[in-house]
Every structure is written in C-alpha cells, then in structure tokens.
C-alpha cells in the first residue's frame, strides 16, 4: 500500500462537516441558501485591472518564466503604494518580493525559519496555514486564544518561558480574521518588543489592511523597532477583489527576507507576469477600493443591526469583510450556525470550526459579507423572523 505522509494523515478534519451536509441538502432541494461562509469576494475585479491584464498578454507575446521576486514594475509599484499608505520606505530591490497570493507564502515561511521541534506562536481562532506550515516542518504550535474579555488580543505576557525560548515565529493578523479587530499601535509595539526580546520573527499577515470603515489600520512595519524583527504579508486578493489572480507580496529587511526568497526559488516559479501588470494597475488606483469599502459598509450596517435586534450582545465589525457575532440566547456557535441555516437558510461559519484547540470562538459565528447587497437585505429579513 502506498500510504500518505503523517502530514496528511494527521491533518485535522473539518470539524463541522454537518453544517456543510445541511447546506448541501437544502441546496439539492432547490432552497435558496444565502452563503456568508467562505471569505471569497463575489464583486467583479475592477475593470482597470482586467484591461491591464489583457493588454499585458499581447504586449508580452513571449512568455518566459517570471522573475522569482516579481517584475521591477510590480516591486516598484508595491513599494510606492506601501510608502503612500503606511509612510514606510522599502527598497524594491531587496526589501520586497512578489508572492502567488499570501496563502502559499504563509504556508512556506516556516521552511525558511523553523527546524523540527521549534515552536510557532499562532492566534486561535486563526488562518489554518499558520498551523499547517509549522506542522509541515515538524514544528509545534503554541496557540494564543483571542478572547472577547481580552479585547481579542493574545496574551503575550502570559507565554511561558519554556515556550518563548523555543519559539521562532509569532503570527499576528490585523485587521483580524475572524474577530475583525484592528490592532492598537501599543499592542503592535508589545509584539515587536516580545519578538526582539526573544529572538522571534514577527510575521504580520496584513491581508485585510484595506478593508476598514473608520479607523485606518497601520502596518507593523511602521512601529518603532519592527524592521529588525518583522516580515509583512500583504495581498491584492481582498483589496482589489483579486482572489483568482493570486498575487501579493512580502516586505521586510533584506536579511530577514532573503531566506524566504530562497524558499520561493524552490517552491514555485514566480507570479504570472501579466497578473503582476494587473496588480500594478490595481495599486495605482484607490477609487475602486473606496467603492468596495462603501459596499461592505452598507452590508455591515444592515447585518449588525439585525444581529443586535435578535439579541446578540457582542457583534464585532471593526474592519475586514467579516462580522464576528456572539450567539444570542446562550447558544453555542454550532447551534446558532445550524439554526441560521435551517430556519433562515443563511450559511455562516461556526467559530468553533475556525479554532484549533483553545475553544476560543466557541460562542461566535462568522459572516463573510460576500453575498450581494440585495441578498444581504433578504438574509436580514429572514434572520429577523427567526425565533430565538
Ligand atoms: C487571514 C488571511 N490571511 C491570508 C489570506 C490569503 O489570501 P490570499 O492567499 O488570497 O492572498 C486569507 C484568505 O482568506 C486570510 O483570511
């Protein structure tokens, strides 16, 4: 028998397959399920991006492998956007590299920094590749619960010395999926100091930096001392509705970035050049991002009000395109998610399914505001009619 590796056999199964079963069953019976499950934008990619990609296909008649670190134009445009947005200067030659979206880069980072037996510090609930990337290197994960009573911040001061002494990477993700939290600069400074004191790499996943409503999120790299210890992961996926294009970048000091760039040369052959041209067009335009923020705000206002009306006393929607809502009436996350699906035909993700092992998230469900405004209105009407 040709058996798979322990990486595969030990991979945690999706804990709440029954939610998917109910959803599939309803859909097969022709029920119109409004799906706030997966965080994949349904808004079209902006016209300027599509045009730039099409033009690039003809301009670049010869294919050729792309550059591993991204084209000069892409890196220059990402560096200049980063400067405009965060006031941080990056050398496009040494301090920035293109990725085929953040996911692969996040999964691969431990290959550059983690040895078997090392520890990776991971927020919980959190994005699964923080965990699987560490496991692929036979690293251990130490989970940092994001609890409501700590304002969803991990307790860095509470990490035991025996854990911090083996830690190689601390993942932070702000604005946060799923809690929607924007980090205060004092928390980011605490994370920088923790990493400096313990020789830990601060890996900052900033995929949602452009999806905000009022307060503008900062980047870790604008915090004093951060350049010594931090790499930032950003992506065009959410900012410009480009999840299908697979393009992003990692930024940070050359000495920290170089080991990661070596991994990139072995694990893929660069982002498609015509997609990088599309990303240059996307980064040079803020109008479509403002429009996107306006659309998400309209949906957020409707859903927040509805969830408060039905009795949730913890509805969080500070940034990102998620809503993190506490189940009303003392329900658990799975129970509330199932009820939304069965009674209102509204699909969500139970917080428990996003949590690795701390149980943080047990009382919450996540809405990804990807259905249209019309569908969101309809969902709110159905939710209002539910009996809690
Ligand atoms: C927290 C977080 N980071 C990173 C990503 C990956 O984005 P991409 O690979 O499309 O750049 C996602 C996608 O949903 C995410 O939620």
């Amino acid at each position: 028998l040709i058996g798979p590796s322990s990486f595969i056999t030990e991979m945690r199964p999706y804990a709440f397959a029954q939610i998917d079963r109910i959803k599939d069953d309803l859909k097969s019976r022709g029920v119109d399920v409004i799906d706030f499950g997966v965080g994949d934008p349904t808004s079209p990619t902006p016209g300027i991006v599509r045009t730039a990609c099409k033009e690039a296909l003809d301009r670049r008649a010869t294919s050729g492998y792309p550059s591993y670190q991204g084209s000069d134009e892409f890196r220059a445009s990402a560096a200049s956007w980063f400067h405009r947005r965060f006031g941080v200067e990056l050398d496009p030659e040494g301090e920035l590299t293109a990725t085929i979206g953040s996911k692969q880069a996040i999964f691969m980072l431990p290959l550059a920094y983690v040895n078997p037996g090392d520890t990776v510090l991971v927020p919980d609930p959190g994005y699964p590749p923080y965990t699987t990337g560490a496991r692929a290197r036979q690293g251990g994960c130490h989970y940092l619960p994001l609890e409501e009573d700590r304002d969803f911040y991990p307790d860095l001061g509470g990490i035991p010395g025996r854990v911090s002494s083996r830690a190689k990477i601390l993942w932070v993700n702000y604005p946060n999926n799923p809690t929607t939290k924007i980090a205060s600069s004092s928390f980011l400074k605490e994370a920088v100091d923790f990493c400096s004191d313990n020789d830990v790499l601060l890996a900052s996943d900033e995929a949602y930096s452009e999806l905000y409503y009022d307060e503008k999120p900062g980047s870790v790299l604008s915090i004093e001392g951060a350049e010594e210890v931090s790499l930032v992961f950003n992506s065009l996926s959410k900012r410009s509705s480009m999840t299908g294009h697979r393009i992003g970048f990692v930024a940070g000091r050359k000495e920290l970035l170089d080991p990661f760039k070596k991994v990139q040369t072995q694990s893929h052959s660069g982002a498609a050049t015509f997609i990088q041209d599309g990303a240059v067009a996307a980064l040079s335009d803020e109008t479509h991002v403002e429009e996107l923020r306006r659309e998400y705000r309209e949906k957020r206002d409707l859903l927040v009000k509805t969830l408060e009306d039905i009795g949730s006393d913890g509805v969080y929607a500070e940034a990102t395109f998620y809503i993190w809502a506490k189940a009303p009436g003392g329900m658990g996350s799975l129970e509330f998610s199932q009820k939304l699906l069965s009674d209102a035909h509204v699909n969500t993700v139970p917080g428990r399914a996003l949590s690795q092992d701390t149980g943080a998230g047990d009382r919450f469900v996540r809405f990804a505001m990807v259905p249209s405004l019309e569908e969101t209105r309809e969902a709110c009407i159905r939710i209002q009619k539910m009996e809690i």
Side-chain angles (χ1 to χ4, degrees):
L1 182 75
I2 305 173
S5 70
S6 56
F7 173 70
I8 297 300
T9 53
E10 286 164 15
M11 207 178 268
R12 180 173 168 268
Y14 177 55
F16 292 103
Q18 65 256 52
I19 295 276
D20 278 349
R21 272 199 299 278
I22 304 175
K23 185 177 78 175
D24 293 345
D25 178 54
L26 286 169
K27 281 189 171 166
S28 73
R29 288 193 280 123
V31 175
D32 164 33
V33 174
I34 304 179
D35 200 344
F36 295 90
V38 179
D40 191 0
T42 51
S43 332
T45 305
I48 47 159
V49 178
R50 286 180 278 141
T51 305
C53 288
K54 282 184 249 180
E55 282 173 7
L57 278 172
D58 285 332
R59 189 159 34 82
R60 298 182 184 275
T62 311
S63 167
Y65 283 112
S67 142
Y68 290 117
Q69 59 174 354
S71 68
D72 291 349
E73 296 87 338
F74 173 73
R75 279 178 289 106
S77 117
S80 121
W81 175 79
F82 207 85
H83 185 239
R84 284 197 305 281
R85 175 65 176 84
F86 300 113
V88 174
E89 292 217 30
L90 295 166
D91 168 15
E93 192 46 46
E95 296 182 329
L96 202 141
T97 190
T99 60
I100 48 176
S102 293
K103 185 177 190 178
Q104 191 262 358
I106 289 170
F107 179 79
M108 285 293 171
L109 179 70
L111 214 53
Y113 280 99
V114 172
N115 285 316
D118 288 346
T119 296
V120 177
L121 303 169
V122 176
D124 189 48
Y127 190 51
Y130 308 145
T131 289
T132 47
R135 297 243 164 100
R137 276 298 290 151
Q138 292 170 311
C141 292
H142 179 83
Y143 293 105
L144 305 169
L146 307 182
E147 306 271 16
E148 189 183 25
D149 59 5
R150 283 193 47 84
D151 214 5
F152 301 115
Y153 284 121
D155 180 10
L156 302 181
I159 299 172
R162 66 184 155 75
V163 174
S164 49
S165 63
R166 303 170 83 109
K168 289 302 295 284
I169 297 175
L170 165 63
W171 279 107
V172 292
N173 165 223
Y174 294 100
N176 183 258
N177 170 15
T179 70
T180 81
K181 182 91 199 150
I182 295 174
S184 65
S185 23
S186 62
F187 170 76
L188 294 178
K189 177 68 180 142
E190 193 190 327
V192 167
D193 290 346
F194 172 88
C195 288
S196 310
D197 293 347
N198 293 286
D199 294 328
V200 169
L201 176 72
L202 179 56
S204 181
D205 175 359
E206 301 180 2
Y208 294 95
S209 68
E210 302 317 292
L211 301 187
Y212 55 84
Y213 305 103
D214 303 310
E215 185 189 340
K216 235 184 195 186
S219 168
V220 156
L221 279 178
S222 54
I223 302 293
E224 195 199 332
E227 74 279 6
E228 294 301 320
V229 291
S230 315
L231 288 177
V232 159
F233 294 67
N234 211 320
S235 158
L236 275 290
S237 284
K238 310 291 156 93
R239 174 189 182 274
S240 299
S241 303
M242 289 175 71
T243 42
H245 294 67
R246 312 311 306 139
I247 181 78
F249 61 87
V250 180
R253 194 159 63 91
K254 184 176 181 321
E255 292 73 12
L256 289 178
L257 194 58
D258 278 349
F260 174 73
K261 284 166 76 172
K262 281 197 183 147
V263 172
Q264 296 279 81
T265 63
Q266 298 305 314
S267 60
H268 66 73
S269 292
T273 319
F274 70 96
I275 300 286
Q276 296 185 51
D277 294 336
V280 169
L283 288 167
S284 69
D285 180 67
E286 292 295 333
T287 314
H288 73 275
V289 198
E290 281 157 23
E291 175 62 17
L292 203 59
R293 282 193 285 261
R294 205 188 48 70
E295 283 170 25
Y296 287 131
R297 180 192 292 271
E298 255 185 280
K299 296 185 207 174
R300 175 195 73 157
D301 291 349
L302 288 170
L303 274 166
V304 167
K305 179 170 182 321
T306 302
L307 290 161
E308 285 174 352
D309 282 353
I310 63 161
S312 173
D313 63 357
V315 185
Y316 297 92
E318 224 173 88
T320 72
F321 55 30
Y322 300 108
I323 290 184
W324 188 234
K326 199 193 276 182
M331 277 183 272
S333 69
L334 181 60
E335 201 185 341
F336 185 40
S337 207
Q338 267 175 350
K339 195 170 171 57
L340 283 164
L341 191 52
S342 310
D343 297 5
H345 303 151
V346 164
N347 189 45
T348 55
V349 179
R352 189 69 189 84
L354 298 166
S355 174
Q356 295 290 334
D357 81 348
T358 68
D362 263 358
R363 294 284 324 277
F364 287 83
V365 302
R366 190 190 75 178
F367 288 74
M369 293 186 283
V370 294
S372 68
L373 184 59
E374 267 325 293
E375 289 170 314
T376 305
R377 276 205 189 96
E378 169 62 22
C380 289
I381 294 170
R382 295 187 197 171
I383 295 170
Q384 290 275 10
K385 287 188 189 149
M386 277 168 52
E387 280 181 29
I388 303 294

